[in-house]
Amino acid sequence: MARKTIDWESVEIQYRAGIRSLKDIGSEFGVSDAGIVKRAKRDGWVRDLRAKIQAKADAKVSESLVSAEV
């Protein structure tokens, strides 16, 4: 059985963006989330989680404002 060629450059771009989950990225590119973590560690990839953290913070603030009004 021939090994599937994985577009690691695209995986790296998605990983570094930090917006999508590793499982979601893995399913798109045909690699496991553990495989992505292993490659990221080996190649020194760093995730930028600022967007994800900001979205969670905004959701919490919105939730607290809605519950305060109710």
Side-chain angles (χ1 to χ4, degrees):
M1 184 173 153
R3 292 182 72 174
K4 181 180 175 189
T5 303
I6 298 169
D7 183 4
W8 286 109
E9 189 173 313
S10 295
V11 172
E12 179 182 6
I13 291 168
Q14 294 295 321
Y15 178 89
R16 286 182 183 269
I19 298 169
R20 298 171 58 195
S21 72
L22 295 181
K23 286 196 180 286
D24 188 34
I25 296 169
S27 65
E28 179 181 342
F29 294 101
V31 64
S32 69
D33 54 332
I36 295 172
V37 170
K38 186 176 178 181
R39 175 65 69 112
K41 187 177 278 192
R42 186 190 84 184
D43 293 350
W45 299 348
V46 177
R47 286 194 97 177
D48 181 8
L49 299 176
R50 283 181 282 175
K52 198 173 218 177
I53 292 168
Q54 186 63 47
K56 283 215 181 234
D58 291 344
K60 284 190 177 211
V61 167
S62 177
E63 182 181 309
S64 69
L65 289 174
V66 169
S67 60
E69 289 179 12
V70 175

